[in-house]
Amino acid sequence: MSDANATAGAKKAGFHIDQAKYERMYADSISNPEAFWGEHGKRLDWIKPYTKVKNTSFAYDNVSIKWFEDGTLNVSANCIDRHLATRGDQTAIIWEADDPNETPQHISYKELHAQTCKMANVLKAMGVGKGDRVVIYMPMIPEAAYAMLACARIGAIHSIVFAGFSPDALGARINGCDAKVVITADHAPRGGRKTKLKDNVNQALLHDTSDVKCLVVQRTGDQVAWRRDLDFWWHEEAEKVSADCPPEEMNAEDPLFILYTSGSTGMPKGVVHTTGGYLTYASMTHEYIFDYHEGDIYWCTADVGWVTGHSYIVYGPLANGATTLMFEGVPTYPDAGRFWQVCERHKVTQFYTAPTAIRALMGKGTGPVEGSDLSSLRILGSVGEPINPEAWNWYNENVGKGKCPIVDTWWQTETGGILITPLPGVIDTPKPGSATKPFFGVKPVVLDDQGNELDGETSGVLALKDSWPGQMRTVWGDHSRFVSTYFEMFKGYYFSGDGCRRDADGDYWITGRVDDVINVSGHRMGTAEVESALVAHATVSEAAVVGYPHDIKGQGIYCYVTLMDGVEATEALRTELGNWVRQEIGPIAKPDVIQWAPGLPKTRSGKIMRRILRKIAENDFDSLGDTSTLADPSVVDELIANRTKA
Ligand code: WT7
């Protein structure tokens, strides 16, 4: 930890960073990234220290990103072993179950070490070695963290699949990275209900011929179907192995994990993150942005199935020797006071959640918040989508009681860690809705459609001009897709896919995606994925999917569906199609609106004009723009006429 003013307890005398320090460090990080990151890379324990710091190119014909490339280290040793001497008995993970009556667990760093080593040894016994892929499909239980760290320990690459994804989506991800083993649980309790994880794995592997093995954590004790010779119970295997497993020496650029994320075209891509740069960046951002101090109880409400859970529940906090809280449940179970009860119960100091959760809780009034003592809270965070000022104010007044700085953190699966955010000691006048300023080493630019950099107060698309250590390195198995997705449209830049505005103070306001990705409850969904699920149904001839403003979710999923000739458009079919998409992808992809569309607005070359579909979904019929280039302009009138019937 870098600052000397760290003392135990919740209230701290000062923040890690103040305005002057921010400006000085930011200027240093931009003027000499080699020296800056050369210094901050030392926050990790290296087996072989690096001598090269930065070797990166955003040039379209030569995209290559390497940080600390000749250094070696082990991520699990950095998150566990190096803390044992000084904080072996300190709690590493506080686990809070879905059911508030189930006793929380406190896992010390010593215990974390033993459990991670055991799981690493079990994986080895199952044939997993350095470079092999392991899919993790788990509830939010400590074993999910053991699984991640066990992979990191033996140099296996994990790919976590959110437990809310369907068997099909899971199967595609298992195949996509050729996983040797899937780690799962019998059932996942969430919000008082249970998801049959193991059964989903069985279904995902139904046609598997490569004998993917499965390690199963017993969470609920419910019955599961067993595949003889391929399935193993974690609690049985753990008995057979040692609680010590030497960490594998990994190169800084060896892959740590793959995480599939939706894009504007095609199926989700496997974002690849590596070890040295990723962990440096995750741990440094965690410390400064959440103003993490010794003795704090830090809680990020995300799921490890998303990148937020990777960087800000597991890797960043544990690399910093923090106490990180893992929550199995949902904000509204058993009631809308659950988040606040957990804050009070564990004396949480940093609380990091998503605007969609805040909006959902806002709707329940202030009663549930007032019922809990939130005086331990010091810093609040927001992530996943732009936070609307109403939600920001509600969060500030009712949760932070006007005393907690709010960090509105902009980043992406691809960026590995937070890129744009206010820093706690640097906020004097908060700007609700603005992610404000870049973190150290981050060089945002606003571009026009032609890729020209715009100066001063302006708006356009958000791009990054240079690399930072946490950046993704490639798309798993498809480097050319990495280059074409992020570096082709605007040569020489990393293109984020987001639009943004920069105000007169130089603060950034993220305005949302400019591509065909929609943001549903802070989760990314490719419209193309939903479309392909819809057209896979026997009755559907064509489908076009767009986002539209949704009070709670931020954006909802709006589907225009053209049925096969002769198929009748009934309410029953509408329901069936909704459930079909839910089944194909997962509950998060369930359409909010399905509108029958006898025809879709297409250009003469056959391209669907989504701009028009978005406007109709938004009920904004006056600014449809030029429709004269459509092959059949009359379809627009028909869609508008049908809008209210959807
Ligand atoms: C997209 C990335 C990174 C963790 C969670 C989502 C949107 C994220 C913010 C924010 C405005 C935000 C962007 C981005 N987004 N944080 N603070 N303000 N927009 O990760 O699934 O990779 O989605 O989420 O549109 O591109 P993700």
Side-chain angles (χ1 to χ4, degrees):
M1 306 292 293
S2 57
D3 262 12
N5 63 358
T7 49
K11 300 287 170 203
K12 297 298 175 315
F15 297 109
H16 286 309
I17 306 286
D18 59 27
Q19 180 75 38
K21 196 168 171 190
Y22 169 74
E23 276 165 20
R24 194 177 65 240
M25 283 175 74
Y26 184 73
D28 289 349
S29 73
I30 297 302
S31 66
N32 193 346
E34 294 269 343
F36 184 88
W37 290 111
E39 187 54 34
H40 289 283
K42 292 184 194 155
R43 60 187 296 116
L44 301 185
D45 278 5
W46 296 82
I47 299 170
K48 182 168 150 292
Y50 48 85
T51 63
K52 296 182 194 153
V53 174
K54 181 177 189 281
N55 179 6
T56 66
S57 160
F58 281 6
Y60 176 60
D61 54 1
N62 175 38
V63 176
S64 164
I65 296 150
K66 290 182 181 144
W67 286 88
F68 311 114
E69 62 185 293
D70 61 347
T72 65
L73 76 166
N74 182 281
V75 166
S76 140
N78 270 281
C79 290
I80 309 172
D81 304 43
R82 66 170 175 156
H83 306 312
L84 293 176
T86 50
R87 55 178 93 243
D89 293 319
Q90 182 203 303
T91 299
I93 298 175
I94 299 176
W95 178 69
E96 171 79 24
D98 186 50
D99 177 353
N101 298 315
E102 197 172 331
T103 312
Q105 288 179 25
H106 290 77
I107 294 120
S108 68
Y109 272 94
K110 259 190 211 153
E111 182 67 12
L112 180 62
H113 179 260
Q115 296 294 335
T116 298
C117 283
K118 276 179 179 257
M119 202 173 285
N121 283 329
V122 169
L123 289 175
K124 276 187 181 172
M126 290 172 79
V128 178
K130 186 169 176 169
D132 288 340
R133 274 79 59 204
V134 172
V135 162
I136 299 175
Y137 183 65
M138 297 268 265
M140 281 292 288
I141 54 178
E143 288 81 357
Y146 307 157
M148 295 164 77
L149 293 162
C151 289
R153 198 160 189 91
I154 62 175
I157 304 165
H158 62 69
S159 171
I160 307 190
V161 178
F162 176 56
F165 277 123
S166 67
D168 278 359
L170 171 64
R173 285 157 176 78
I174 296 170
N175 286 333
C177 70
D178 245 323
K180 255 195 176 163
V181 167
V182 178
I183 309 179
T184 191
D186 45 6
H187 286 205
R190 204 158 172 267
R193 290 196 294 237
K194 286 188 226 171
T195 309
K196 298 176 175 182
L197 292 189
K198 174 64 173 103
D199 286 358
N200 284 355
V201 175
N202 290 351
Q203 214 179 314
L205 292 175
L206 211 52
H207 306 293
D208 165 67
T209 50
S210 54
D211 286 347
V212 175
K213 291 179 182 162
C214 192
L215 182 63
V216 189
V217 175
Q218 196 167 46
R219 168 64 187 105
T220 61
D222 286 291
Q223 193 120 41
V224 292
W226 213 241
R227 302 173 313 151
R228 197 187 302 262
D229 300 330
L230 291 175
D231 292 341
F232 302 85
W233 283 114
W234 155 241
H235 60 278
E236 288 176 6
E237 299 310 306
E239 298 279 298
K240 305 177 191 163
V241 294
S242 144
D244 192 32
C245 172
E248 194 75 34
E249 178 170 358
M250 303 299 288
N251 181 269
E253 285 300 339
D254 283 335
L256 175 65
F257 66 83
I258 302 168
L259 185 57
Y260 281 83
T261 194
S262 301
S264 46
T265 54
M267 289 329 249
K269 43 188 175 302
V271 167
V272 175
H273 283 289
T274 58
T275 63
Y278 170 79
L279 196 64
T280 301
Y281 198 76
S283 83
M284 184 168 175
T285 48
H286 170 260
E287 181 183 352
Y288 288 113
I289 295 166
F290 299 102
D291 194 50
Y292 181 80
H293 286 76
E294 196 76 40
D296 283 347
I297 307 292
Y298 164 88
W299 181 18
C300 164
T301 69
D303 189 285
V304 292
W306 312 112
V307 73
T308 312
H310 287 65
S311 302
Y312 298 114
I313 294 177
V314 177
Y315 289 119
L318 295 177
N320 290 337
T323 299
T324 180
L325 195 148
M326 249 179 126
F327 175 46
E328 188 179 34
V330 299
T332 48
Y333 177 79
D335 57 59
R338 187 67 194 277
F339 270 179
W340 324 124
Q341 291 147 20
V342 174
C343 284
E344 173 178 323
R345 185 181 216 176
H346 300 290
K347 307 232 171 330
V348 169
T349 47
Q350 285 94 347
F351 178 75
Y352 188 28
T353 196
T356 184
I358 299 167
R359 286 192 300 266
L361 295 175
M362 241 168 96
K364 313 274 180 193
T366 55
V369 201
E370 283 154 6
S372 297
D373 175 7
L374 297 180
S375 59
S376 57
L377 287 175
R378 214 157 48 75
I379 308 282
L380 302 179
S382 171
V383 62
E385 54 171 314
I387 179 163
N388 48 310
E390 299 74 32
W392 194 101
N393 286 323
W394 190 89
Y395 198 27
N396 180 46
E397 283 160 28
N398 297 291
V399 182
K401 318 289 180 199
K403 292 181 311 197
C404 301
I406 298 181
V407 292
D408 175 1
T409 62
W410 176 82
W411 59 300
Q412 311 177 295
T413 305
E414 293 88 338
T415 69
I418 297 162
L419 295 195
I420 303 183
T421 180
L423 287 173
V426 182
I427 309 169
D428 22 85
T429 323
K431 288 187 184 177
S434 172
T436 71
K437 292 281 198 297
F439 190 73
F440 307 125
V442 174
K443 242 174 140 172
V445 288
V446 183
L447 304 178
D448 68 13
D449 291 349
Q450 269 67 54
N452 302 304
E453 278 184 38
L454 301 170
D455 293 327
E457 193 180 349
T458 187
S459 59
V461 303
L462 177 61
L464 283 310
K465 203 174 174 156
D466 200 356
S467 182
W468 60 97
Q471 185 173 20
M472 76 182 279
R473 303 302 197 251
T474 190
V475 169
W476 181 258
D478 196 350
H479 193 68
S480 65
R481 191 168 175 203
F482 174 58
V483 175
S484 62
T485 307
Y486 304 103
F487 299 94
E488 186 171 85
M489 184 113 76
F490 302 105
K491 305 275 187 313
Y493 301 94
Y494 166 84
F495 170 48
S496 70
D498 279 317
C500 91
R501 178 163 78 76
R502 186 172 51 217
D503 69 17
D505 302 325
D507 287 323
Y508 291 86
W509 301 70
I510 313 299
T511 48
R513 302 288 305 196
V514 294
D515 53 10
D516 291 323
V517 170
I518 55 183
N519 191 323
V520 184
S521 300
H523 299 309
R524 248 157 91 163
M525 187 50 54
T527 51
E529 277 169 79
V530 183
E531 287 164 6
S532 91
L534 281 167
V535 296
H537 193 276
T539 62
V540 176
S541 125
E542 219 176 357
V545 173
V546 297
Y548 76 107
H550 185 287
D551 283 350
I552 306 273
K553 301 187 193 180
Q555 277 188 302
I557 302 177
Y558 198 110
C559 310
Y560 296 88
V561 171
T562 309
L563 295 170
M564 296 284 190
D565 281 347
V567 175
E568 207 189 327
T570 62
E571 279 316 300
L573 180 57
R574 208 198 295 269
T575 309
E576 183 180 327
L577 289 178
N579 290 334
W580 168 264
V581 175
R582 185 189 156 101
Q583 229 172 60
E584 290 279 296
I585 305 174
I588 51 171
K590 186 163 189 212
D592 294 282
V593 183
I594 293 177
Q595 173 173 344
W596 306 123
L600 291 168
K602 289 184 189 164
T603 59
R604 287 188 193 104
S605 59
K607 200 172 175 298
I608 295 174
M609 292 193 74
R610 288 161 191 286
R611 175 176 56 80
I612 294 174
L613 293 176
R614 270 185 222 118
K615 292 285 177 201
I616 296 173
E618 285 166 19
N619 262 321
D620 178 2
F621 310 134
D622 298 330
S623 53
L624 293 178
D626 184 11
T627 55
S628 64
T629 56
L630 290 175
D632 177 8
S634 73
V635 299
V636 173
D637 300 325
E638 198 164 3
L639 288 176
I640 292 176
N642 277 341
R643 169 66 179 89
T644 46
K645 291 185 230 145

